[in-house]
Amino acid sequence: MRKVFRDVVTIDEARNLLFKYFSPQRTVETVPLYLAVNRVLANDVYALTDVPPFDRATMDGYAVRAEDTFTAEEDNPVSLKVTGVIEAGKKPEVEVSRGEAIEIATGAMMPKGANAVVMVEYTRRRGDEIEVFKPVSPGENVMYAGSDIMAGELIAREGSRLTHREIGVMAACGIKEVEVYRKPRVAIISTGNELISPGEKLVKGKIYDVNSYSLAAAVEENGGEAILIGIARDNEAEMRRMIDKALREADIVMTSGSTSAGAGDVMYRILDEFDPGVIVHGIAIKPGKPAIIAVSDSKPIFGLPGYPTSAMTVFEVMVAPVIREMAGISESEMTRLKARLALKVFSAEGRREFLPVNVVEGAEGYSAYPVSGSYSGAVTAFAFTDGFVEIPENVVMLEEGEEIEVRLFSQLRPADLMIIGSHCVGVDILLSILREKKPYMSKVINVGSTGGILAVKRGEADIAGTHLLDESGVYNEPIIRKYGLRNVLLVKGYLREQGLIVARGNPKRIRGFEDLLREDVTFINRNRGSGTRILTDMYLREVAKKRGVSFQELIASIKGYTVEAKTHTSVAVAVASGKADVGVGIKSVAVNYGLDFIPLRSEEYDFLIRRDRMEKEAVRDFLECLTSEEFASRLQKVDGLKVYERTGEVVEID
C-alpha cells in the first residue's frame, strides 16, 4: 500500500539520530609497507636507524683529506698517491693518510681519515697517482651519517595519509610494516527490476546499474573497502536475504532505490524489521529527500534514493563522513574553495540543497557554473562536475556574482583548455584531433552562446563556441560588440545546418513554425542564451508579426515552449522518445537518431577568444586543428556540418 514519509528531518537531526544508535569506531591492523599507500597511520612512526647509516660519497671520484687539495690549481695540480678502491656496498679496509687518495664510487662508505671527495672530472690518473686540478672543502661531496634522518626522529605522524614519500622514508629506515586504521567494509546493494549489470545486453525497459559502481568508487576514495553484493529485484524476500548477507560481511550497508513513497518501494518495511530499525525516513535535502537511515545491531544501513545524483548527494553528506571517521581520515583533507556564482540560482525553501557545479578560474578568481535543470536523475550531474555548493534551508535564491563556498569532490585539476559556450559535435571532433596531437586536458561547459561570450569577457574561458544571429543577418560579430567585449578575436569556424527535427516519416505533417501553434503538436525548446533559442525566437517573431499578435501571446499558445533542452542531442532524444513532436536542432543529431529533418538555414559556428589567450599553446594547437585537412575530412562525414572558405579567418574586435 502507498504510504507517506515519516517526519522529514533536517541533516543535523538525521546525524544526531544516527549517532544515538551508532558510534563509529576505529580499529588498527598491521600491513606490509608496500601495501600501505593511501592508508592512514594509527601511530607515530620513528626512525630506527640513521639515514644514511654511514658517511657516504655522493659523487664518483677520490676520497681525500680536503687540506691536501687546498693549493690545487688548473695549471699547478696537486699529486696524491692512490692506495686503494672502495666499491658501493663494501666496508672500506683502508685508511687515507696525508698525501693519499682512495678511488670511491657514488654511495660507497667513506674510509677512515678522509673528509671530502674530489670529483673524477677534476682529476687525471697517472699510474698509481692522481693529479687534482680543483681544491675541495671539508665535507664536499660527502653525506654524513644521520644528516638526512637521525635515529629516533619522528618521520610520520599518526593520522597521516601515506603517500610514496612517507613510504620511501620508512623504507630507508628499514621499516617493513606499519600499523594503520582498518578500512571500514561497506556493502553495496542496488535494487530494481529495471537494472542490469554493465556488459549485459541492454533491452527495452532496462538500464545499467550505475549506483553500485559509482558508490563503490566513492567508498574507496573515502578510505573504505567496497563490497558489491549485487542487484536485488523488487522482491522483499530477495532484498532481505541480500541485506542479511551484507550485514554479516560489512561494517556499513548501503542500498540504493526503493526508498520513496511509491507502491513498489519496500525498503522501508524491510529495514524497519531490524532492531532498532528505521530511525530516519526523509531528510530535508535536495536532491535526496527519500533517504532512509536504519541501524541493526550497532551497524548503520543507509537506504539511498535510486537516482544517481540523489544517491551520491546523500552519500557525500551522510555516509562519507562516517567512512572517513572510521578510516582515520581528517575532514580537513576535503578541499574547499571560494568562488563567485556565474548564474543566478533558485532553491527550494525548507530543504538544504547541494547544487553540483563546475569550477573555472578567471581573471578575478574562481567562478562556479551550476548544473542547470532537473539533475537528481542525471548521471553526468555528478560525473562531470567539480563539486557542490551547499545552500541552506532558509535561502531561496543566490545572486549571480555572489561569493559561495564550493566543496570539491577531489583536487581541482586546472584544464589546459577551457571551452564554454554553445554545444556542438564539431567541437568534440576538434578536441579528439587535439588529444591525438598532445595529451591536453580539456573541459567543456555547455551554457549557450551568450553564456560563452560572457565567460570570455570575465576571463573564465579560453574559447567560446558561438552562433548568434543578429537582426542585421550577420552572425556573432555584431552581438559580441553589443556586449562590449574588447581585445578579443573571432575565429570563423564552420557551417551547421539548422532545422526542425521531427519523427521519422513526419507523422504530424509539420512544415514550419506555424505548425507549432497547433493543438496536436508539442514543441521542445532550447535553453535561453543559446544561439538555437535566439534563432527560434527570430522565426516565431516573424510568425507573430504575420498573424498580428504579440510575441508573448504567440509563445503562450505553443505547447512546450517553456520546456528547455540543454543540447541538440536532448532535442533529438525528446522527439525520438515521443516526449515532443518537434524541436529545433542541427541535422547531424537528427540523422544519428533516425529522425526527419526540415532545413531552415546554414548558420556560422565560430570561436571567440581573448587576445591574451592566443599565447597559450593549447589554444594555438586548437586553432591549428581547426584549419587542418584532418578536421575538414572528419567534419565532412557528419551530416549538416562542413568547413567553408572562411574557416580559420580571424576577425579582430577592439
Side-chain angles (χ1 to χ4, degrees), residues 30-39 162 167 176 178 180 183:
T30 301
V31 299
L33 189 63
Y34 71 92
L35 293 178
V37 66
N38 217 30
R39 300 296 295 274
L162 296 177
I167 288 174
K176 182 182 180 180
V178 290
V180 295
K183 291 183 175 183

Side-chain angles (χ1 to χ4, degrees), residues 347-546:
S347 181
E349 188 174 12
R351 279 195 285 171
R352 194 178 307 180
E353 181 170 0
F354 292 82
L355 177 71
V357 295
N358 273 302
V359 177
V360 301
E361 187 172 8
E364 299 179 359
Y366 291 107
S367 291
Y369 280 79
V371 174
S372 61
S374 175
Y375 51 80
S376 62
V379 177
T380 55
F382 250 70
F384 300 136
T385 52
D386 296 311
F388 59 79
V389 176
E390 185 174 341
I391 305 176
E393 293 88 342
N394 60 343
V395 174
V396 295
M397 182 182 71
L398 295 177
E399 289 284 358
E400 177 181 338
E402 185 172 337
E403 186 177 74
I404 44 89
E405 182 179 72
V406 179
R407 176 171 163 177
L408 300 176
F409 295 134
S410 56
Q411 292 293 324
L412 185 66
R413 297 178 298 169
D416 299 306
L417 188 66
M418 178 65 70
I419 301 176
I420 303 176
S422 174
H423 166 256
C424 186
V425 295
V427 174
D428 298 331
I429 294 173
L430 276 168
L431 292 180
S432 176
I433 297 172
L434 183 64
R435 280 193 300 273
E436 294 168 9
K437 184 182 180 73
K438 286 182 184 175
Y440 290 119
M441 190 187 98
S442 303
K443 190 170 187 178
V444 180
I445 301 177
N446 299 317
V447 293
S449 297
T450 303
I453 290 173
L454 294 176
V456 168
K457 186 176 184 179
R458 292 190 296 261
E460 297 163 358
D462 296 316
I463 299 173
T466 176
H467 56 106
L468 295 175
L469 180 61
D470 184 62
E471 295 174 355
S472 63
V474 177
Y475 271 95
N476 298 317
E477 187 179 343
I479 294 178
I480 292 169
R481 294 185 188 279
K482 287 178 183 177
Y483 276 101
L485 271 72
R486 297 288 183 270
N487 294 316
V488 295
L489 303 172
L490 184 69
V491 180
K492 301 302 290 183
Y494 46 87
L495 298 179
R496 307 196 310 180
E497 193 170 356
Q498 286 266 32
L500 295 173
I501 297 176
V502 297
R504 181 189 288 273
N506 195 4
K508 291 292 180 75
R509 299 290 181 258
I510 295 168
R511 295 288 178 264
F513 280 93
E514 291 206 5
D515 289 315
L516 270 58
L517 305 176
R518 288 164 35 191
E519 283 289 330
D520 64 331
V521 171
T522 300
F523 180 59
I524 178 76
N525 210 345
R526 279 295 308 278
N527 54 302
R528 281 165 286 187
S530 67
T532 302
R533 174 66 169 263
I534 292 172
L535 179 67
T536 298
D537 287 350
M538 189 174 292
Y539 276 101
L540 290 175
R541 289 184 193 280
E542 291 177 4
V543 174
K545 184 177 180 181
K546 180 179 176 181

